[in-house]
Amino acid sequence: MGGINNRTILIAGIIMSLALIFIAKLFILQVYDTSYKFSAVSNTRREVTQYPSRGLVYDRNGKLLVSNQAVYDVMVVPRDIVPFDSIDFCQSLNISIEQLRERFVQMRKDIRSRKISTYKPSVFFKQLSAEQYGNFQEKLYKFKGFFVQGRTLRKYEYPTAAHVLGYVGEINEQQLKDDAYYTPGDYLGISGIEQTYEHELRGKKGVKYMLVDVHGREKGAFKEGRHDTAAIAGKNITLSLDIELQQYGEQLMQNKVGSIVAIEPASGEILSLISAPNYDPSLLIGRDRSKNFPVLLTDSLKPLLNRAVQSSYPPGSTFKTINALIGLQEGVLKPYTTHECFMGYFARGLSVGCHPHDSPLNLTQSIQHSCNAYYCYEFRNILDNPKYGSIQESFNAWKDYAVKFGFGYKLGADFHNESRGFIPNADWFDRVYRKSWNSLTVISLSIGQGEILTTPLQMANMAAMLANRGQYFTPHIIKNIEDKSLDDTFRKIHDTGIDVQHFAPIVNGMELAVWGGAGSTARIAQIPGISICGKTGTAQNPHGDDHSIFIAFAPKDDPQIAIAVYVENGGFGATWGAPIASLMVEKYLNDTIHPGRKWIEKRMLEGDLINAKQKIQ
Amino acid sequence: MPNRKYNRSIDWLTVGLYSLLVLFGWLNIYAANFNPENPIFFDTSHEYFKQLVWIGFSLLFVGMIVITDSKFYVEFSYIFYGITILLLVIVLLFGKEINGAKSWFEIGPIRFQPAELSKMATNLAIARALSRYGFTFSKTSNLLKAAFIVLLPMLLILLQNDTGSALVYSVFIIVFYREGLTGYVLTFGFIAAVVAVLTLIVPNATIIGIIVLAILLILYFKGARAALLKAVIIGGLVLAPSYALYRFVPLNIKAEYVLIPAIAGLSIHLLYTTLSKRFNKFVPTYLLILWSAILLTVSADYFFEDVLSDYQRTRINVLLGIEQDPLGAGYNVNQSKIAIGSGGLYGKGYLQGTQTKFNFVPEQSTDFIYCTVGEEWGFIGSTSVVLLFVFLLLRLLYLAEKQHSTFSRVYGYGVAAIFFFHFAINIGMTIGLAPVIGIPLPFFSYGGSSLWGFTLLLFIFLKLDMNRAELIR
């Protein structure tokens, strides 16, 4: 071997030339080009995040619901702190010396656990008021390492619609990981439309680089602001909510537990969405939030729960309309079909009670009087239809209808926490009854009791579907987003697949339930001059008194509003549900309550189901 | 003792360089973990303590290597290779996924990456194969065998989704080149790389035009002038109608395809004249190069768009300056450049760095450890590290050339080549000259597997070198 050959020289040459290239590049980076140095010299250049203002929220009539208010955070760069006059510091911020000490202990803890950096600004004291800011800003030059950064908080113009609007809060660690846009300390929408439309409302953060001297005083823009980016304000949004109707509904529901959902049938727009008890959204702004949130969270009446979309109840007798439509479509029920009823339905050791009314009844009358027996016959005719080979098959056919009406699954409204309700299928009953069940076993479904559960939103959607005679739009609370078109899913018509002629007897029955003679279930809902159609429901409830339910739409031939009302433990549908629903409809359509109905309004406003119950206990 | 005179002492110069690199590396891992607000000088839960343990084990391994007979490595090279291949298969099936690569074994508190070991084993196997009596790259079967030994672990590591470690194996081409593989392979590889990079920056039609002109110029100076004139005229005649077609008929085809018929006409004419008149025999070779380059140009786009994954594409685009993305794919490199650049000529001083702490630079004690060097030790320190590596590499080449046995020489070249690749890519990546491929800087980066892998690799060669007089094969 011995001598070094050409190839070895070439390989050695490659190694050496690469080393030369590296050294040249290192020379450029470290010695020649100074632009890389500015980024590291953080004590002469400060990065100030420019927070955009969050988008405004309006109601359907252009009334401002949510706006922003300015607050100021005291920021700190721990490394830059030098000893300072802590009494002066506390006085200008109007805090006690103990609070300050506590803050410093917390800061050291955060530094040790690497939550915050000593080189980068982090929040030291949150949300100064304008006066505090003024006092502090004057003396800022004395406190090296501190500076003030402005940001905005939400401001609610009405103490209403808390569940719809949701709230804004500080980001948590999981959310930080999920979305790189956010940095610790950022605020984002946590529930309601603040959450659903977070991306539209939040805008885009900007950044401003300031030159600061050794005392931390700002000396103007860094490099004439060439590296700055402006914050882009969030988009304004308009809700379909009618804030006056919403306020009125919340008044009607005061001292009650339950929910009201009103929808414009022609568009699926939600006019009001009330969950009672409710709270003032301003309670959850800024620093007050940490104080008020636990109180609301631990309240036994669960005011934070949005019952309109999260709670599921049995639909009760309102569901008779659905069973009637299924029967008509399946051909097992005709408008002229009559059944007899003598205080109930009796079969093989099973009985379903009913209240006194004329007998026999046809379909329209059965709705008008809400006859239980009629629907027991009718429901059994659906399930025992010889067209289907087994109960499983016929039951699943029934279930498929129910799903097409919007039950059993999330409707896809713009609330992240929507519940899906519950519609059992044949498999489910096979498991529960070990495959031994028949139409009688599940007879309570005929009158909207038993296993099925629906949310108030689904019920309002059902009312809208009845108003539209078989079609509905996905309910939604958004009406308009600035510079952006609405989601197509909100413009798509959902068809239930029920022929339109089948609706006449049902709707007539609903009209008669309000306007019919003695024995009609909802005569209290009569609004002079408005052809309102409605159906009561009384949902049995294992935990206490029955829930009072009412669904309605009006006017009959050109429906403007469809509504569902749930009053928990309110008893009969006609006791609370029907009056409240009719008042809402009257308010929306006429804007005033007829003098002859003022007594109903008074009774509803004064009605107290919460405190009365507590007295009994 | 017999054979005493044949045994040389270990090459202390290399051992010295190794010790310097490991020590300096550890100091920097300590610095990258150092928290100035909470200056605990020693904490057993930190990376620097663990690295100290790994270094201790490395010394143990070095001792074991030195007392083992070097014939052992020669005889057992294929067995080592077989075992690591088996490990690579097992890790693919049962391994633990860390950072998207399924390349780790986890046994209790110990994690271990077989890919680090397989470099050593593959190197041994290559040395064994190439040192076989009568081995020559001109025999296809030999070439295929050598290629197989390299490609098998490479493929398995690619399947683990550890692209960086897999790419290391491509560096064996340098070893092959030293051992007689035709220089065309190296040249062609270089041209291919240049053309592939160009296709991403310059329109394809331009590149093809440049290639054609270059080839025509070469042919002109090589003396094929008579045939060339006619060929160019033919090419022009074909080009005119195809260009007119492209220009005036709305066909949805790419501009480069317009050139191809013309180049085809030109090539056919040249081929015909040179073959029929039996002179200018070099012409077909150049035509082959021309058409390979065209094929590469057209296919590079396809490869880039359809074969590479999104993040790889972005990384390459950022590197080439096509995309600006300082907070996304370019973030690491940008932060790394800021850290190194902020070091200046003399650096900020040991433990005085600000950028390589608090996670401004990601992976600051593993893949980006060089940033700490750049920031705290400045131009002086970072250049010293480059020079240390260059000395080590040249020393390895020098020692390799001194070997009497082919096995030892090939193995030595392999060691140098692997170190070279890691050195080139890792430092290149931190200063923005190479794409971000996560491979460690030998002896510097934190991690037991890589430190042990590199130590074994190096000291087996030093052991072979100690017995250089004994091994004659």
Side-chain angles (χ1 to χ4, degrees), chain A residues 1 118 160 209-210 212 264-265 272 316 418 501-502 521 550 599:
Chain A
M1 283 283 124
T118 52
T160 0
Y209 297 97
M210 303 298 295
V212 289
E264 184 179 75
S272 71
E418 198 190 340
Q501 73 270 16
H502 296 321
T521 51
F550 195 67
W599 66 274

Side-chain angles (χ1 to χ4, degrees), chain A residues 147-399:
Chain A
F147 66 100
V148 176
Q149 181 164 309
R151 66 158 81 215
T152 57
L153 283 187
R154 279 314 217 186
K155 184 171 179 225
Y156 298 96
E157 308 291 337
Y158 296 84
T160 0
H163 295 107
V164 171
L165 300 173
Y167 59 92
V168 173
E170 206 170 317
I171 189 160
N172 66 29
E173 275 174 40
Q174 186 54 46
Q175 289 160 332
L176 266 175
K177 265 184 225 156
D178 293 347
D179 191 339
Y181 171 82
Y182 300 101
T183 49
D186 276 0
Y187 284 72
L188 83 173
I190 293 185
S191 71
I193 55 131
E194 297 275 21
Q195 182 189 22
T196 313
Y197 295 102
E198 167 69 14
H199 284 264
E200 287 77 14
L201 290 169
R202 72 182 180 191
K204 197 167 186 300
K205 283 186 282 190
V207 67
K208 203 163 105 187
Y209 297 97
M210 303 298 295
L211 281 174
V212 289
D213 66 8
V214 283
H215 301 294
R217 283 178 291 213
E218 290 182 355
K219 289 282 173 193
F222 176 78
K223 289 201 174 174
E224 294 89 48
R226 254 181 286 148
H227 299 273
D228 297 0
T229 50
I232 300 167
K235 290 182 172 138
N236 297 341
I237 62 175
T238 304
L239 302 184
S240 61
L241 203 71
D242 181 328
I243 193 66
E244 285 185 13
L245 187 67
Q246 177 80 13
Q247 266 180 310
Y248 184 63
E250 289 185 10
Q251 282 165 13
L252 293 174
M253 289 300 284
Q254 67 195 4
N255 294 321
K256 299 167 199 71
V257 178
S259 176
I260 304 177
V261 179
I263 293 177
E264 184 179 75
S267 61
E269 288 175 2
I270 296 171
L271 299 170
S272 71
L273 186 131
I274 293 145
S275 172
N278 57 345
Y279 59 92
D280 181 349
S282 302
L283 290 177
L284 297 185
I285 298 177
R287 259 191 306 189
D288 296 338
R289 203 168 83 86
S290 52
K291 193 173 69 205
N292 292 326
F293 192 81
V295 178
L296 291 172
L297 191 65
T298 51
D299 191 321
S300 63
L301 292 173
K302 297 193 178 128
L304 288 174
L305 181 71
N306 186 354
R307 291 178 162 78
V309 295
Q310 286 179 285
S311 288
S312 300
Y313 309 90
S317 298
T318 60
F319 203 73
K320 288 174 183 165
T321 56
I322 298 298
N323 275 333
L325 287 169
I326 297 172
L328 289 167
Q329 185 69 25
E330 283 282 280
V332 295
L333 175 68
K334 299 290 174 200
Y336 46 78
T337 309
T338 56
H339 291 293
E340 287 184 325
C341 169
F342 301 106
M343 295 297 282
Y345 176 80
F346 308 95
R348 279 188 288 178
L350 182 144
S351 71
V352 177
C354 196
H355 50 92
H357 56 72
D358 296 343
S359 174
L361 299 175
N362 67 16
L363 176 57
T364 299
Q365 290 164 326
S366 76
I367 294 278
Q368 177 189 357
H369 295 285
S370 193
C371 172
N372 287 345
Y374 192 96
Y375 286 92
C376 293
Y377 291 114
E378 194 267 318
F379 187 61
R380 291 198 66 189
N381 285 344
I382 297 174
L383 294 189
D384 297 340
N385 188 348
K387 184 167 102 184
Y388 299 106
S390 65
I391 180 75
Q392 280 83 1
E393 232 175 276
S394 62
F395 189 84
N396 279 338
W398 175 86
K399 182 218 73 179

Side-chain angles (χ1 to χ4, degrees), chain B residues 291-326:
Chain B
W291 281 95
S292 316
I294 291 172
L295 201 67
L296 185 71
T297 312
V298 178
S299 62
D301 265 352
Y302 163 77
F303 174 77
F304 190 70
E305 297 297 334
D306 297 329
V307 179
L308 291 185
S309 66
D310 256 349
Y311 81 96
Q312 288 168 326
R313 218 173 10 246
T314 324
R315 281 178 177 182
I316 291 173
N317 274 339
V318 169
L319 181 76
L320 296 176
I322 299 169
E323 261 178 56
Q324 287 290 334
D325 185 17

Side-chain angles (χ1 to χ4, degrees), chain B residues 177-226:
Chain B
Y177 172 70
R178 165 61 186 83
E179 294 303 317
L181 186 65
T182 166
Y184 279 124
V185 177
L186 219 57
T187 323
F188 193 75
F190 181 72
I191 291 174
V194 170
V195 170
V197 169
L198 274 179
T199 51
L200 303 176
I201 307 175
V202 185
N204 285 350
T206 319
I207 298 172
I208 294 180
I210 292 170
I211 296 169
V212 171
L213 282 180
I215 297 283
L216 288 180
L217 267 178
I218 291 170
L219 291 180
Y220 180 80
F221 284 112
K222 282 232 171 191
R225 296 175 194 184

